[in-house]
Each structure stands twice: as structure tokens, then as C-alpha cells.
Amino acid sequence: MHNQEIAWALSEIADLMDIKGENPFKVRAFRQGALIIEAIESPVTKLVARNQLSKIKGIGKGLCAEIEALVHYQESHLLDKLRHEVPPGLLEILNLPGVGIASVRSFYKEGITTIEELEELARARKVRQLPGQGPKTEMAILRGIEMIRRRSGKFPIGIAKPAANSFVNFLQNLSEVNRVEITGDLRRSEEMVQEVSILCTSEEEELLVDLLKKHPSVNKVIEEGTRHLRFRLPFGLPVQIEIVSEEEFIPRWIETTGSKAHWQALQARKNGTATAFENHENKWQQFLSSQEAEEIYYQNFHLPWIPPELREKGEEVGQAVRGALPKLIEERDIRGDLHIHTKWSDGVSTLEEMVAAGRDRGYEYMAITDHSQSLHIARGLTEEKLLEQRKAIQNLNKGQKDFTVLAGVEMDILTDGRLDYPDEFLEKMDLVIASVHTNLRQDRHKIHNRIEKALKNPHVDILAHPTGRLLGSRDPYDVDLDWLLDLAAKTGTILEINASPERLDLSATHARMAKDRGIMIAINTDAHDRNRLADISYGINNARKAGLEKKDVLNCHRLKEVKKILKKPKG
DNA sequence: GCCGTTTTCGGCCCGACTGTTTTCAGTCG
């Protein structure tokens, strides 16, 4: 069982106990435990085997017992019992924005146990009659339900990708399997994924299908054939594994990577070119990597290899013909991370740990940008504290020649549009990131006013997570993207692709619109934990999907250039 | 349920805002 799955189980236990009305501190202990497990680097299974689990702060006797049961038996009696006692629909209701534990309990009291029942009641304008509810919360509930419908069974890439990778690893280690690749919308780096698709080659298809069925993560088989298996993971994500021969692999990989429009555009080109596809002796392909083989396949169409992220509307084929494909940014182009939190505010790693982790990744620089004073829950820093941190950073920089730490801040844009520090203070910072964290449900006029004040401030360099969305769980605040992008272009403000898979904000679509307006993009992780520096890959996915090149991205530039760009007076 | 031990029991992050109220509970970050 993976750390993530254990974390989900603990978090579900917390929610169910919360609905039942158990001791809130006990609930919090489980919730906290889930976060801790999620952030651990090494597999929990290993820690259990070595008896090291109880040494972790926050994991005591009780949690240890539950986690060990999950690792050994893939189940927890406590969770089973709770699932039995509390109707599952209430968890969904709890996840609606604006609905908290108290509301769920009061709905439960009224006999409501599913989203459908709640929706019916809201549509009949009867939710507003319940104690503590009113017309506005009733509307918020309906909007939340609509959001869930839009999501309709899709899973965020941050959940789908690790799940896919673990199956790829599993298959790679089997002697029956030669080649394994992720395909489908996940390979195209779609932010929400319908299903994990994996394509592999093997001569022993039936044996492989049988073996897969016995995998402990296969919760329920949906569909079974001689050459494929579709199943659900315990948390509901569907996975499809298809087995083909070595000869079939590349065309099938391209076909399943999609989209349909891309495949059709390729087929249309096949009819128009004289190349004899069938002449190829495919046997030699097995000595090539999958991508090398795919490149050769594209050559058959007299085309350069087209990155999967761009295989969308079919028009990329025309672009490829004209030699107009962008040279997409790659992870190795990133020279630093410019949005990082540490223990100084709400991070879990120390400043020194973060810097060491950045160096380990081969970065040349990073910016420490802890929270500003008004964000109390995140232990935001006063001016004095920030200056103190700046000194610590200067000392750190003295001891290293090949790596530079910038002293920055992630400053809140306050509810009324004021910024959290005066200009005289902001001027002293190497980098100022501005963010909207509070009052996300303000009307468009107020939100625009806040963003405008921030972007027009000469010291604000970057607007972080520009729409405030949480992927699949919270809609953006009410902002007109065209207006925002025009303003960013006019003021010369850099926009962030927040690489945290919970956010992915800007989205690929919006990042493309930003590029078209000549806006500089920064790809940052917003990491609160050194392990999360690796999230940069999700941001790169989005940037590639947006067609971004090295030159479009601030933190692909050398430090000297970055400093020059930040110093340049804003428009 | 976890932690610390100056505490094996008692405290556990907290302030602001919203929408509900008519003085405050619930939600959020």
C-alpha cells in the first residue's frame, strides 16, 4: 500500500469521526497524521518493517496501529466500522465548498445522506429553512454540486500520475513484459484524467492478465479480455492496461495517446504520402527506446516528432509540416524555484534544508518567499522578522559560491486592496510575490480592485496562483481572465504557473493566452516541504501544453538575467 | 489521539469574514 493511499484512509477516518461528532482533537490527530504520511519520503511499508513508524512526531500508538493494519492487511477495522456507521454520501456533502462539519451534521439530522437528496431539497428552496442555513448558502450548495457534476468522475493529474507510475514500475519488473508506457490523456498531460491507460508489450498476454487481477491494488475488475484488463483502484480511479505485440506497439501508442483529431490528421497525411509503412521490418524497433521508435514512425509521415502535450486539435500536424512547432520547455531548463516556504512561516522544512534540496536538484538559485504578516494562520512574518530572515539568507549566501538564495516574500493582497507592507519596505526585497488568499468569494468588482492595486504596484514582481482555483475542488475566484492578462501585460507583471498539483494555476489554456500577450511566466512549486520541490514537473507539463519555450519562462534564465528582469521598471 | 514532563493530565493555531442572526456559529485559510 502506498503512502498516498494510507494518507487517504487516515483522512477518511478523520472526516467520518468528525461527522459522528467525536473529540475534535482526536479528529485532528488523524487529519494531521494523513498530512505527515503524505509528506514522508520513504515508503511507509519500509518504516513499518523496520519498526520506525512510532519515531515520527505526530504518529503515536493509535495511529501506528491503524497504519500497520493498513500495511499488513490492506484494511483498518476502525475505517470499516466508521464506513458502516456513517452514510458515504455525507463525505461528498462535506467536500462541497462552504459546507462544513456542522452543516453536514444538521443535514444528517434531517435525514439527508446523499448529494442527490441535498440537491432536491435545495432546488425546492427548503435548505434555507434549516437552522443556520439561508438563501446564500443554498445557492452555494447548488453551485458546488454543479462543480462536482462538471468534474464527473475525473481525477486530478496529481492523483492519476503517481498511481500510473506505480503500475508502470510493477509491469517493468515482470519478466513477461518488454515495453511499458503511459498513454491516453495522462500522456497528453491533461489536468483532469478520466482513466489511467497503460500500454505494454508481452508474448504471454493471458498469463499477464491473470497476474494483474491478483494485484493488491485491483479493487474491482470492470472489464476483462485476452489482451486487456480494466479495473478500479480502491479510491475509484479506473485503470486500463492493454497488451500488444512489439510490432503493434508504436502505432497503437500513438493512436491511444490521442487525441482523435491528431490521429485523423496523421491518417489523412498517410493517404497523401507515398511512404510504404508496411515495408518496415519492425523487429529492429525493440532495440530502440519507445520515443526513438515513435520519432521514426513520425518520419514516415515526413514529420518531426510531435510532443504528446501538443497532440490535441490536429492543427499541430500542420504546424509540424511548416516547421513551426515550438521547442517546448523541458524540466532540465529550470534553473531555480522562485516561490518557496520554510519553517519561518508555515513550511515544514528549514531554510537550510530547502536550500540544500534546491542544490541537490541542480538549481542555480531559489527565492525564499514566506508568508506576510496578515496571514496569521500561516504564521506570516512581520517586517522585523523578514529582515532577520534576510540576514540569515545573506549569511547562507556567503558560504556558497555556486548557488544564490534570493530574499523574497509572498505578500497578501488584503481584502480591501491594500498590500500587506508599505512600498518603502517592499523596495528592500529581492522578489515580491503578491497573492489573494482570503475572501475568495468577493464579487468581481472587489477582486479586480485588489488585483489591480497589486499589479500596478511598482514593487510587485509576480502574481502567484492567479485564479485561486483548487483543481477539481474549488472554482477560481470571480476574475475576468482577459482583463487580468491585459493588465499583467500592461504593467509588466510576471504571472505564475503554480506547479502544485492541487492548483496548477495558471492552467495550460490560460498560460497559452498569457504567452500570446507576451507575458513572462514563472513556474514555481510553492513548496512548503523540500520533497515538494519535485512538483515542478507538473508545472512543466502545463507549460508544455501551453506551448511555452525556455525564453518565455523567467526561471529558465540565468540569475544575472533574472535579476535584470526583476529590476527593470514596470510599465 | 498526540505531546510534554514546569503537565501521565491538560491543552491542543487563530483571526476575519460571511451569512445567519439580532449576538453569534460556521467556514476558511
Side-chain angles (χ1 to χ4, degrees):
Chain A
M1 201 173 232
H2 277 92
N3 292 12
Q4 185 65 63
E5 288 172 272
I6 295 167
W8 281 328
L10 295 179
S11 156
E12 190 180 340
I13 289 173
D15 284 345
L16 292 170
M17 287 197 302
D18 213 353
I19 294 171
K20 267 191 74 186
E22 295 210 16
N23 178 352
F25 295 110
K26 188 175 166 183
V27 172
R28 203 177 66 182
F30 274 89
R31 210 158 268 156
Q32 202 62 34
L35 291 176
I36 292 166
I37 296 298
E38 215 170 31
I40 290 177
E41 277 167 86
S42 47
V44 170
T45 41
K46 263 190 199 160
L47 295 177
V48 169
R50 291 185 201 145
N51 247 335
Q52 289 172 327
L53 196 57
S54 53
K55 285 181 190 151
I56 299 166
K57 206 179 152 204
I59 309 288
K61 255 189 186 168
L63 280 165
C64 224
E66 289 312 320
I67 295 168
E68 280 174 4
L70 285 165
V71 167
H72 291 315
Y73 315 109
Q74 275 85 48
E75 61 179 18
S76 138
H77 288 304
L78 178 58
L79 182 55
D80 289 345
K81 189 170 148 270
L82 287 164
R83 277 181 178 161
H84 208 71
E85 290 168 349
V86 183
L90 293 176
L91 282 179
E92 270 186 290
I93 294 176
L94 180 61
N95 282 327
L96 291 171
V99 176
I101 206 70
S103 301
V104 169
R105 282 190 209 139
S106 94
F107 294 149
Y108 190 20
K109 232 176 163 180
E110 294 294 321
I112 296 163
T113 55
T114 66
I115 286 258
E116 290 74 24
E117 288 165 1
L118 182 62
E119 185 182 16
E120 199 181 321
L121 206 69
R123 292 215 183 281
R125 300 177 160 224
K126 282 184 182 160
V127 166
R128 61 181 71 183
Q129 291 163 9
L130 299 176
Q133 311 292 331
K136 288 208 174 173
T137 35
E138 193 176 76
M139 296 291 288
I141 285 168
L142 286 172
R143 273 202 307 275
I145 293 174
E146 198 189 310
M147 186 182 77
I148 290 184
R149 295 270 150 78
R150 274 205 308 276
R151 192 169 60 193
S152 66
K154 289 193 178 182
F155 290 77
I157 186 171
I159 287 175
K161 197 148 200 196
N165 284 339
S166 94
F167 269 96
V168 168
N169 276 337
F170 170 74
L171 289 165
Q172 257 164 357
N173 288 327
L174 297 176
S175 58
E176 292 85 0
V177 173
N178 302 320
R179 203 187 277 279
V180 192
E181 297 290 349
I182 291 173
T183 183
D185 41 8
L186 187 56
R187 187 170 180 231
R188 295 203 313 279
S189 293
E190 292 283 338
E191 57 184 37
M192 297 292 281
V193 173
Q194 193 82 50
E195 167 174 282
V196 165
S197 308
I198 294 170
L199 192 63
C200 64
T201 64
S202 174
E203 320 246 292
E204 294 168 76
E205 302 98 334
E206 287 179 43
L207 192 94
L208 194 55
V209 169
D210 273 341
L211 191 64
L212 274 167
K213 278 184 347 202
K214 292 182 192 133
H215 192 285
S217 294
V218 174
N219 194 40
K220 190 181 160 208
V221 172
I222 308 171
E223 200 184 307
E224 185 185 343
T226 47
R227 300 178 88 198
H228 78 280
L229 187 71
R230 277 184 76 206
F231 54 89
R232 262 180 221 286
L233 300 180
F235 57 92
L237 177 67
V239 179
Q240 151 127 326
I241 297 180
E242 188 183 346
I243 309 154
V244 296
S245 67
E246 188 70 25
E247 290 75 22
E248 293 166 309
F249 184 81
I250 291 299
R252 185 66 187 144
W253 195 29
I254 296 175
E255 187 180 357
T256 51
T257 298
S259 66
K260 226 178 206 167
H262 179 80
W263 181 245
Q264 283 165 353
L266 278 187
Q267 292 312 304
R269 208 168 153 72
K270 188 177 183 178
N271 298 333
T273 50
T275 318
F277 283 83
E278 324 310 335
N279 285 352
H280 261 137
E281 281 292 332
N282 280 303
K283 295 276 181 231
W284 50 265
Q285 280 189 3
Q286 60 190 293
F287 300 111
L288 296 173
S289 76
S290 300
Q291 189 181 317
E292 284 167 338
E294 204 184 46
E295 278 173 23
I296 291 178
Y297 197 83
Y298 272 92
Q299 279 171 23
N300 287 334
F301 297 94
H302 299 292
L303 287 175
W305 180 76
I306 300 177
E309 294 91 340
L310 298 180
R311 301 182 199 170
E312 286 293 345
K313 293 179 186 156
E315 63 193 22
E316 64 280 358
V317 173
Q319 263 181 305
V321 173
R322 296 195 304 278
L325 284 179
K327 189 172 180 326
L328 296 185
I329 178 180
E330 293 179 43
E331 189 162 337
R332 61 163 185 256
D333 296 329
I334 294 287
R335 293 177 187 269
D337 196 326
L338 297 173
H339 185 167
I340 305 272
H341 297 274
T342 71
K343 268 194 169 166
W344 281 76
S345 65
D346 63 343
V348 298
S349 300
T350 63
L351 170 61
E352 292 75 14
E353 285 168 345
M354 273 298 190
V355 171
R359 293 180 69 116
D360 287 348
R361 294 187 65 81
Y363 289 161
E364 295 168 21
Y365 53 84
M366 77 186 349
I368 300 300
T369 54
D370 274 306
H371 288 288
S372 64
Q373 52 194 0
S374 286
L375 205 63
H376 295 104
I377 186 149
R379 295 191 299 278
L381 304 181
T382 59
E383 292 181 26
E384 292 72 36
K385 272 276 169 199
L386 261 178
L387 291 176
E388 199 185 318
Q389 187 191 48
R390 190 184 177 81
K391 269 194 192 132
I393 289 174
Q394 280 166 346
N395 282 334
L396 212 55
N397 278 333
K398 268 182 210 156
Q400 50 189 10
K401 286 212 170 72
D402 53 346
F403 191 89
T404 304
V405 187
L406 300 174
V409 65
E410 182 184 17
M411 174 187 60
D412 261 57
I413 307 172
L414 305 180
T415 305
D416 57 6
R418 282 179 303 124
L419 302 179
D420 211 0
Y421 301 112
D423 281 9
E424 312 84 80
F425 182 74
L426 291 181
E427 206 176 350
K428 297 178 193 160
M429 291 280 116
D430 295 337
L431 174 76
V432 177
I433 298 179
S435 295
V436 173
H437 284 128
T438 51
N439 264 25
L440 305 176
R441 279 185 278 176
Q442 276 180 333
D443 63 44
R444 176 171 285 195
H445 176 75
K446 283 183 181 152
I447 292 278
H448 277 199
N449 175 48
R450 290 167 80 179
I451 292 175
E452 187 169 5
K453 288 241 176 79
L455 264 55
K456 283 188 171 167
N457 183 292
H459 306 297
V460 168
D461 301 300
I462 301 178
L463 179 68
H465 37 75
T467 77
R469 74 157 176 187
L470 294 180
L471 192 51
S473 69
R474 183 176 76 201
D475 280 336
Y477 40 67
D478 191 4
V479 60
D480 177 348
L481 243 292
D482 280 311
W483 171 87
L484 172 63
L485 294 175
D486 286 341
L487 186 66
K490 205 174 109 195
T491 55
T493 310
I494 297 155
L495 294 182
E496 180 178 77
I497 290 181
N498 191 294
S500 158
E502 292 88 43
R503 291 190 182 270
L504 286 180
D505 183 11
L506 298 168
S507 68
T509 313
H510 292 157
R512 183 178 287 273
M513 287 160 68
K515 179 188 158 90
D516 289 344
R517 285 168 166 85
I519 296 166
M520 179 76 79
I521 296 289
I523 307 175
N524 299 324
T525 59
D526 197 357
H528 286 64
D529 178 327
R530 60 181 169 174
N531 301 326
R532 299 289 302 266
L533 288 177
D535 283 351
I536 198 80
S537 66
Y538 291 104
I540 299 287
N541 287 155
N542 253 29
R544 288 173 63 85
K545 223 167 166 47
L548 263 54
E549 305 182 51
K550 242 164 96 171
K551 64 175 171 40
D552 304 317
V553 176
L554 176 67
N555 43 328
C556 286
H557 292 279
R558 292 197 167 279
L559 179 66
K560 212 173 142 190
E561 185 66 19
V562 171
K563 282 184 166 171
K564 215 166 98 188
I565 293 169
L566 293 177
K567 237 188 219 156
K568 205 172 90 183
K570 291 176 69 176

